[in-house]
Amino acid sequence: MSFCSNLSTCGFIKKYGKTKALELKGYLRKYCNGEKQDKCERKRFKENYGITPSENMTPIGMYFCK
Ligand code: SF4
């Protein structure tokens, strides 16, 4: 599986990509470099509203604070 094409510009990854929290590792594995990357809620948000979601929005659509 290849990485998501948005990886280099994704605000969520820029802010939290190096965080060691377990759920972050899961998002990276399942979404950003996994079979669920087409189901990423960040992508859906951008498609639906035409704007980039908050950097705190996770791929499952919940908000992450660290
Ligand atoms: S959070 Fe979503 S948009 Fe960002 S890199 Fe991961 S799969 Fe792509």
Side-chain angles (χ1 to χ4, degrees):
M1 179 56 86
S2 59
F3 282 101
C4 170
S5 59
N6 294 341
L7 193 73
S8 64
T9 57
C10 179
F12 177 72
I13 296 301
K14 281 184 178 172
K15 184 167 182 179
Y16 296 114
K18 295 196 189 306
T19 302
K20 292 195 164 74
L22 270 183
E23 62 263 48
L24 260 295
K25 291 184 189 293
Y27 294 147
L28 286 169
R29 183 169 44 82
K30 289 182 189 158
Y31 287 86
C32 311
N33 188 29
E35 72 279 0
K36 289 183 145 184
Q37 64 184 247
D38 290 337
K39 296 185 173 15
C40 175
E41 291 296 334
R42 294 184 58 83
K43 290 181 177 176
R44 287 189 181 161
F45 186 98
K46 179 82 187 285
E47 284 168 15
N48 288 340
Y49 302 110
I51 54 173
T52 303
S54 160
E55 59 196 7
N56 297 323
M57 180 193 253
T58 67
I60 64 169
M62 305 284 283
Y63 284 82
F64 186 81
C65 293
K66 181 80 179 158

